[in-house]
Amino acid sequence: MTARPGKVAIFEQFAADGITKMFGNPGTVEQGFLDVVDRLPGFEYVLALQETVAIAMADGYARATAGPALVQLHTGVGLGNGIGMLYQAKRGHSPLVVIAGEAGVRYDAMDSQMASDLVAMARPVTKHATRVTHPGSLLRVLRRAVKIAMTEPRGPVFVALPMDVLDADTTEPAVPSTIPSRAVVPVAAELDRAVEALLGAERPVVLMGDGVSVSGAQAELTAVAEQLDAPVWGVDNSELNMDAAHPLYRGQIGHMFGENSARAVADADAVLIVGTYVFPEVFPLLDSPFRADARIVHVDLDDYEIAKNFPVDVALVADPKPTLAALSERLTAAGRAPVRTEVRWEPTEPQRDAPLMELFAAELARQAPADLVVFDEALTASPSLLKHLPPRVPGNYFLTRGGSLGIGIPGAIGAKMARPEAEVVGFTGDGGSMYTIQALWTAARHDLAARFVICNNHRYGLLDLNIEQYWGERGIEHHDFPGSFDLSRPEIGFVELAKSLGVDAVRVEKASQVEDAVRRMLNHNGPFLVDLLTG
């Protein structure tokens, strides 16, 4: 292979892996390889005004493509800015390849300006973190990063790239990364044990999560649930893993309080867990929420998550799609014929005095095309949104995950880049939007016709709900919410703010404005924002 600088070779490697976009924010120690970008045909640098935005856009892009997304951060300060959103990507198993430059290996002993242990910083919020120290292994390490990021359970991988390593020549060939297949099925005896545990149940329950979506196992999951006649709860469920209009679907368990999970499984004598971990609450129960005699079957490719907190009876480290298909065949042989429920959903007309969020969602459902993609960080407004726009099509709904605010706007931008032909609308709150409002500028810069709705209740509304639970648990008398939850003083001018970043916008304060605002949003030639007053 012909020798060429590493800063050139890395883009050959990205091209070999089909990576044509880099989301990032530039810095001095990355200037060598960023100087190469503009001369690359077919490669796009997506400029964010802050590193959190870059990671969030890449997260949305990776989720919408189900492939790797490349993020460039600026050494330790940039990585520090992005830590919170990287945590979200790790919890959500987003296959990000995150790179950051540094001054050089030769400066390691100098403890100079901006010097930091990037690998140590990244390790807690990534699936794998490493540093390239020799030009002869540069591309090998990048291929390993893509492989690790894309191998289930997927997750973000970090690679530190010293400038002197990138400036040096390498003769490594750029070849596609190898992604191992984990489409494995348990041996027959284990499948038989699983079916035996489920067959005799009178009150079975299914808990499912995003491993179903990654596997493409929505149909197989639905078939097994129908054969068991089991209600299905979403746990850490941020993709479309089951048609939300299916009569067996019960919705999300929630992520805050263990009591909610306990109520969902309290009466179950058998529990099938697929593609998720149990349980994802901020305040989980320390004691098992399952009945003492409940038989528990857990199917997931993430062996760490199986029986992580509570013992299970049948633990299957396997791909959900073929495993569920095999379980369905055995249930059929045992007399549980597939039901094949015909799922119908008819939109309902909201009451005239319904909340503005509900009126907006109903109008959007009426006007939007069939390929509507929703990126949902509406949080407290989500129930009204989903009442009229229930997730039904795989790849057309993405929910915030991981606990970091700010994914709604940049996530929708990334999804729109991945799905340019689709209508993409991102929902966020006024509080969440201000974490990443700079992303609007990127949408304008790239002329992306993504839509954004800020559910503006002038508060961190979720904190109101959470502290009420806290008061109730501790017998504290209800009183005024903390002043730190209030966002009304001074009033944030979202319309003016959006326009200053190159995005047209409108404020909706009453029901009579909804229809025209939705029409204007969907018909606008370019990005558009609606400031929707919800409180």
Side-chain angles (χ1 to χ4, degrees), residues 95-121:
L96 307 184
V97 176
V98 182
I99 61 174
E102 56 173 61
V105 174
R106 58 182 168 174
Y107 302 122
D108 275 5
M110 300 300 293
D111 191 24
S112 55
Q113 175 75 4
M114 292 196 297
S116 56
D117 189 342
L118 300 184
V119 173
M121 289 177 64

Side-chain angles (χ1 to χ4, degrees), residues 51-100:
E51 288 85 357
T52 298
V53 176
I55 296 171
M57 287 192 296
D59 191 314
Y61 183 82
R63 294 176 71 178
T65 61
L70 177 64
V71 187
Q72 171 264 316
L73 305 178
H74 173 47
T75 193
V77 291
L79 177 57
N81 285 341
I83 288 291
M85 201 58 71
L86 264 179
Y87 175 82
Q88 169 140 306
K90 181 185 180 184
R91 280 293 188 182
H93 300 294
S94 287
L96 307 184
V97 176
V98 182
I99 61 174

Side-chain angles (χ1 to χ4, degrees), residues 239-456:
E239 308 283 332
L240 194 285
N241 299 309
M242 183 180 187
D243 187 341
H246 195 287
L248 287 174
Y249 182 63
R250 297 292 186 267
Q252 300 272 18
I253 263 182
H255 70 283
M256 287 302 302
F257 303 104
E259 290 82 358
N260 296 330
S261 303
R263 281 192 290 270
V265 300
D267 296 327
D269 54 353
V271 181
L272 173 62
I273 307 167
V274 185
T276 188
Y277 66 102
V278 288
F279 285 97
E281 308 99 351
V282 177
F283 302 105
L285 292 180
L286 297 178
D287 297 326
S288 175
F290 301 110
R291 272 175 40 173
D293 63 342
R295 299 178 300 280
I296 304 173
V297 178
H298 197 156
V299 181
D300 200 351
L301 277 169
D302 192 346
D303 58 292
Y304 172 73
E305 297 295 353
I306 296 178
K308 178 178 75 174
N309 292 321
F310 310 111
V312 305
D313 297 282
V314 184
L316 305 179
V317 182
D319 186 342
K321 184 179 180 70
T323 302
L324 288 169
L327 292 177
S328 180
E329 290 176 2
R330 281 165 166 75
L331 289 169
T332 301
R336 299 288 187 91
V339 180
R340 294 189 176 88
T341 302
E342 183 178 356
V343 181
R344 295 181 179 180
W345 179 79
E346 295 295 334
T348 58
E349 191 69 24
Q351 299 293 320
R352 295 183 65 180
D353 60 349
L356 204 56
M357 180 65 203
E358 188 174 331
L359 296 174
F360 188 92
E363 186 62 32
L364 179 59
R366 190 180 70 82
Q367 293 192 36
D371 67 347
L372 178 68
V373 176
V374 171
F375 211 103
D376 180 7
E377 195 194 18
L379 297 178
T380 55
S382 281
S384 294
L385 173 65
L386 299 183
K387 181 177 180 179
H388 297 279
L389 284 166
R392 303 203 61 198
V393 179
N396 280 16
Y397 177 76
F398 305 99
L399 178 66
T400 183
R401 58 196 182 186
S404 301
L405 285 180
I407 190 70
I409 292 175
I413 293 172
K416 181 64 176 178
M417 286 188 165
R419 302 273 301 281
E421 76 292 344
E423 191 71 72
V424 179
V425 182
F427 289 84
T428 186
D430 48 336
S433 71
M434 290 306 297
Y435 280 65
T436 52
I437 199 72
Q438 310 96 319
L440 293 176
W441 182 88
T442 300
R445 177 184 176 91
H446 291 267
D447 195 25
L448 291 167
R451 323 303 184 183
F452 315 102
V453 179
I454 294 179
C455 306
N456 186 356

Side-chain angles (χ1 to χ4, degrees), residues 34-51:
L34 293 178
D35 191 39
V36 175
V37 171
D38 289 345
R39 301 193 296 274
L40 297 173
F43 192 90
E44 183 179 22
Y45 186 89
V46 182
L47 176 59
L49 299 182
Q50 207 261 6
E51 288 85 357

Side-chain angles (χ1 to χ4, degrees), residues 3-33:
R4 70 282 194 217
K7 63 186 180 183
V8 173
I10 61 173
F11 292 101
E12 297 174 6
Q13 183 58 53
F14 297 146
D17 283 321
I19 297 173
T20 59
K21 286 181 171 58
M22 177 188 287
F23 300 86
N25 182 265
T28 302
V29 294
E30 295 85 23
Q31 60 192 359
F33 69 84

